[in-house]
């Protein structure tokens, strides 16, 4: 079945370059989340979209990070002027509803390495 | 299939009381994590316990892990109204979160 998909699966970039990560949520899911997971760590919440509401950006670590969700479906996470500490696995999840009422389904993640 | 199944689904207590919630999983794991989610926000990582650990503490949180029973428990001591949230567990094998335990702490 069609789950959450993310692209690219792996990305190696040089310090200072911009990167774009893409997430295709499960069709019909109104909530979309971006998380970051550094090696051996738990998930770090980045940003949350729910329907047409303004996104919750409280988890974005700096103004180099931004995300948008077009048409309530596909989302793009952009990291500008990448730094080595941005290296992590970036995970996207979607759910039918917000809060704790919907099971979150995660994509396979994008593994980002900043040299 | 879901790796993390939490129970109870809902729990209501008074401020100052302890809250215990449980999680079961299906396959062998390397670690298990507990998360909190306030209404309308993303998940916040609370604590991670490794498969070779039996108990771990962080502030008012105490987590236990029983790999023979494939279960974990999260204890919140001296609860506060601000602890009101949904609590989830997840394992490193498969990141699929269940519906969580919805904790309501009344002042």
């Amino acid at each position: 079945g069609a789950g959450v998909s993310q692209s690219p699966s792996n990305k190696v970039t040089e310090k200072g370059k911009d990167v774009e990560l893409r997430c295709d949520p499960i069709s019909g899911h109104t909530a979309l989340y971006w998380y970051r997971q550094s090696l051996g760590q738990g998930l770090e919440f980045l940003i949350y979209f729910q329907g047409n509401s303004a996104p919750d950006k409280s988890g974005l670590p700096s103004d180099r990070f931004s995300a948008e969700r077009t048409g309530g479906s596909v989302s793009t996470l952009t990291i500008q002027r990448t730094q080595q500490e941005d290296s992590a696995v970036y995970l996207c999840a979607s759910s039918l509803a917000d809060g704790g009422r919907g099971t979150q389904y995660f994509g396979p993640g994008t593994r980002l390495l900043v040299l | 299939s879901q790796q993390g199944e939490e129970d109870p689904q809902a729990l209501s207590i008074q401020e100052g009381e302890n809250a215990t919630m449980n999680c079961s999983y299906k396959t062998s794991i390397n670690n298990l994590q507990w998360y909190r989610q306030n209404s309308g926000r993303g998940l916040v990582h609370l604590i991670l316990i490794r498969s070779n650990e039996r108990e771990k503490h962080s502030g008012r949180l105490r987590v236990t892990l029983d790999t023979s029973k494939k279960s974990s428990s999260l204890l919140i001591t001296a609860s506060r109204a601000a602890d009101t949230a949904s609590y989830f567990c997840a394992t490193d094998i498969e990141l699929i979160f269940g519906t969580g335990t919805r904790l309501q702490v009344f002042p």
Side-chain angles (χ1 to χ4, degrees):
Chain A
V4 177
S5 61
Q6 291 184 246
S7 61
S9 53
N10 292 282
K11 177 73 177 179
V12 180
T13 189
E14 292 178 294
K15 178 181 172 181
K17 296 285 179 68
D18 297 351
V19 294
E20 281 190 354
L21 312 179
R22 177 188 168 105
C23 172
D24 282 88
I26 293 173
S27 178
H29 280 194
T30 57
L32 187 147
Y33 306 79
W34 280 99
Y35 298 88
R36 178 170 69 177
Q37 188 169 33
S38 301
L39 187 64
Q41 303 294 314
L43 289 175
E44 176 188 0
F45 166 72
L46 297 177
I47 189 169
Y48 160 65
F49 295 89
Q50 171 56 36
N52 296 320
S53 303
D56 175 359
K57 305 179 182 180
S58 60
L60 295 178
S62 77
D63 59 7
R64 296 186 296 104
F65 288 73
S66 63
E68 59 178 27
R69 189 178 185 191
T70 53
S73 180
V74 172
S75 178
T76 303
L77 176 69
T78 301
I79 309 173
Q80 296 177 308
R81 305 180 302 281
T82 53
Q83 303 295 312
Q84 288 180 330
E85 60 263 29
D86 299 335
S87 296
V89 176
Y90 289 81
L91 291 155
C92 173
S94 71
S95 72
L96 274 172
D98 70 345
R101 294 179 291 281
T103 298
Q104 293 189 41
Y105 292 87
F106 281 76
T110 293
R111 194 175 305 271
L112 175 66
L113 177 62
V114 182
L115 301 176
Chain B
S1 63
Q2 291 176 298
Q3 270 288 68
E5 300 279 354
E6 300 90 354
D7 81 88
Q9 288 194 332
L11 182 60
S12 295
I13 59 174
Q14 295 289 325
E15 226 172 11
E17 294 181 338
N18 297 339
T20 300
M21 52 205 89
N22 305 295
C23 166
S24 61
Y25 57 93
K26 296 181 174 63
T27 66
S28 296
I29 62 172
N30 296 305
N31 66 64
L32 183 143
Q33 312 121 46
W34 282 92
Y35 294 82
R36 181 182 70 206
Q37 186 173 33
N38 293 92
S39 181
R41 298 179 62 87
L43 293 164
V44 173
H45 178 246
L46 294 177
I47 193 166
L48 181 152
I49 185 166
R50 293 186 167 78
S51 59
N52 62 352
E53 297 176 310
R54 291 296 168 259
E55 188 170 310
K56 198 165 183 178
H57 296 253
S58 177
R60 294 184 295 111
L61 305 180
R62 186 188 124 205
V63 170
T64 62
L65 180 65
D66 187 336
T67 53
S68 66
K69 295 180 180 177
K70 292 187 169 55
S71 67
S72 173
S73 68
L74 171 68
L75 168 68
I76 304 174
T77 60
S79 63
R80 304 167 183 168
D83 294 330
T84 296
S86 290
Y87 291 82
F88 300 82
C89 71
T91 72
D92 65 301
I93 301 301
E94 196 174 13
L95 281 175
I96 297 178
F97 291 81
T99 53
T101 293
R102 196 167 309 155
L103 174 65
Q104 176 80 50
V105 181
F106 292 99

